[in-house]
Amino acid sequence: MRILVTGGAGYIGSHTLLELLGEQHDICVLDNYSNSSPEALSRVRLLTNADFLDVKADIRDDNALMNIFQDFQPEAVIHFAGLKAVGESGKVPLTYYENNIRGSLSLLKAMETVGCRRIVFSSSATVYGEPQYLPYDEAHPCAPTNPYGRTKYFVEEILKDWATSSFKNSAVLLRYFNPAGAHSSGSIGEDPNGIPNNLMPFISQVAVGKRDQLNVFGGDYDTRDGTGLRDYIHVSDLASAHMAAVNYSAAHTGVEAFNIGTGKGATVLEVVKAFEEASALRIPYVISPRRSGDIAASVADPKKAQELLGWKAKLTLNNMCQSAWKWQSQNLEGYGNPPEN
Ligand code: NAD
Ligand code: UDP
């Protein structure tokens, strides 16, 4: 299948490319590299020994999109491109609405011009907001508590309207829980700009000595050990969910949302312990005040994805820590300073 992958040079996109190329799909990556490096694509080529098109462009650039759609004529789009930092979204909400919502609208309009009818969208568990019950199932009310989450929620609503506007359209909304880990080779992984917001990359940078200690945000939550509990999902499992979603969209029209998680939660201190075991290092930490906007616990009910997509997470928290450690220790500067060999 000809698949356009927006944001394909990013963390989740690059891992998904490995799956897509492994299945011999014909790929075009569109990325503006605002939060990634073309080096990730070079490594995907090396790992797969496969080639694909890549175009440096912005999803808000209607002319560039039109050219790509007319030249490549994609049969499906996997739409990763977007800004993703919750904290930043509170400071520059308009930038988030502009990038994530207008970008998605431009993409849908370009799809319409060439009759491309299938899209798999990177949504997020943040669309649910404060849990009314756990685990979250897909019927849980959506009440996102920050601008980033609202961009995901609004794009989901736009995709619902688009999918119901023609009986030929198909939209699959993947609500990721907490992606973590790296490819087992250690040659592609998460490469955040500046100080990492997320737990696993922060711990990885403490492990390699780039940061002194982890601040554990809150030690008095109503969880097993008082620290925040999340459903961490290995990025390679997440990648395979996209294969399942593309296949599903080829066979089904309409719109469907799926939780992409494991159904199991781990606390911050459990992640620290698992990382210490994987790296054979001690991770110094200090219990700090709660981070504003954080919830105590978030866990997916992943049954629907298993039943309808035939997808289930296979990898464990230990696999996530081992691969994150391998990636970080082999690439101290991420993609910024490729190892010589
Ligand atoms: P990422 O930042 O690594 O990847 C996003 C990619 O999109 C980057 O390569 C970036 O350069 C590109 N991009 C951003 N804006 C663009 C634009 N206007 N035009 C073209 N390219 C653009 O992020 P990721 O972790 O791989 O996340 C991928 C998607 O999944 C995002 O939409 C994100 O919101 C969503 N998501 C991520 C997480 C997570 O924790 N990583 C959780 C839930 C949902
Ligand atoms: N966390 C932490 N210290 C950090 C980063 C995160 O204690 O430096 C905690 C955070 O409070 C939450 C969990 O780790 O309980 C996962 O946070 P992350 O930002 O990775 O994902 P979120 O669930 O907030 O999207």
Side-chain angles (χ1 to χ4, degrees):
M1 200 187 300
R2 281 188 311 283
I3 305 174
L4 178 70
V5 183
T6 75
Y11 171 46
I12 303 168
S14 55
H15 288 81
T16 303
L17 290 178
L18 299 180
E19 296 281 330
L20 298 169
L21 294 164
E23 296 285 322
Q24 322 298 326
H25 289 294
D26 201 358
I27 301 300
C28 177
V29 170
L30 181 165
D31 204 301
N32 66 359
Y33 304 116
S34 57
N35 196 37
S36 56
S37 161
E39 171 66 16
L41 300 182
S42 306
R43 297 202 188 177
V44 167
R45 289 188 173 93
L46 271 178
L47 280 171
T48 57
N49 201 22
D51 205 5
F52 52 88
L53 295 170
D54 64 273
V55 181
K56 182 177 180 188
D58 194 296
I59 47 167
R60 293 162 295 174
D61 181 342
D62 293 320
N63 288 335
L65 277 188
M66 213 52 78
N67 289 336
I68 293 165
F69 274 83
Q70 271 160 7
D71 290 349
F72 184 63
Q73 298 278 335
E75 294 157 279
V77 173
I78 305 183
H79 180 27
F80 293 107
L83 301 177
K84 64 165 182 176
V86 170
E88 184 185 59
S89 77
K91 293 186 188 115
V92 287
L94 301 187
T95 305
Y96 271 67
Y97 288 121
E98 158 77 15
N99 200 79
N100 294 3
I101 298 183
R102 188 162 97 60
S104 299
L105 281 174
S106 295
L107 193 62
L108 283 171
K109 283 192 285 179
M111 286 171 66
E112 297 253 293
T113 60
V114 298
C116 178
R117 305 284 191 176
R118 292 179 219 147
I119 186 165
V120 176
F121 173 59
S122 296
S123 189
S124 166
T126 53
V127 297
Y128 294 123
E130 192 69 45
Q132 295 184 11
Y133 54 85
L134 285 175
Y136 293 107
D137 56 24
E138 290 82 356
H140 187 287
C142 288
T145 55
N146 54 69
Y148 165 70
R150 279 188 280 278
T151 69
K152 293 293 173 188
Y153 174 65
F154 294 149
V155 173
E156 283 199 3
E157 295 295 299
I158 290 168
L159 286 169
K160 284 178 195 165
D161 287 336
W162 175 78
T164 43
S165 69
S166 162
F167 70 93
K168 291 182 182 167
N169 290 349
S170 173
V172 181
L173 318 174
L174 298 184
R175 295 175 177 163
Y176 312 154
F177 277 68
N178 286 62
H183 186 251
S184 55
S185 64
S187 67
I188 60 169
E190 189 168 10
D191 183 18
N193 282 330
I195 302 172
N197 295 307
N198 295 112
L199 181 62
M200 190 71 84
F202 200 102
I203 293 179
S204 306
Q205 293 196 2
V206 173
V208 291
K210 282 181 85 172
R211 317 252 160 229
D212 293 340
Q213 63 183 17
L214 171 72
N215 292 307
V216 175
F217 297 140
D220 57 353
Y221 284 113
D222 183 16
T223 59
R224 288 193 280 275
D225 58 19
T227 66
L229 180 139
R230 296 290 183 274
D231 185 336
Y232 295 93
I233 168 92
H234 197 295
V235 67
S236 298
D237 274 333
L238 194 51
S240 69
H242 290 79
M243 275 304 312
V246 165
N247 292 337
Y248 180 87
S249 80
H252 300 83
T253 55
V255 61
E256 212 66 66
F258 295 99
N259 285 340
I260 303 298
T262 64
K264 292 189 208 95
T267 66
V268 176
L269 293 183
E270 287 165 352
V271 176
V272 169
K273 187 162 177 286
F275 201 98
E276 288 184 333
E277 279 166 15
S279 62
L281 289 168
R282 200 177 63 81
I283 305 295
Y285 68 84
V286 57
I287 305 286
S288 311
R290 292 181 178 193
R291 183 170 66 178
S292 150
D294 271 358
I295 53 177
S298 163
V299 183
D301 176 346
K303 268 201 295 295
K304 185 176 171 188
Q306 194 174 344
E307 284 166 12
L308 298 190
L309 297 180
W311 171 90
K312 193 174 184 289
K314 297 193 182 105
L315 298 167
T316 63
L317 180 61
N318 287 342
N319 298 138
M320 295 176 224
C321 293
Q322 283 154 2
S323 56
W325 170 236
K326 192 168 181 186
W327 153 254
Q328 186 69 69
S329 53
Q330 288 179 9
N331 301 272
L332 290 180
E333 301 303 328
Y335 293 114
N337 192 6
E340 289 170 34
N341 54 20

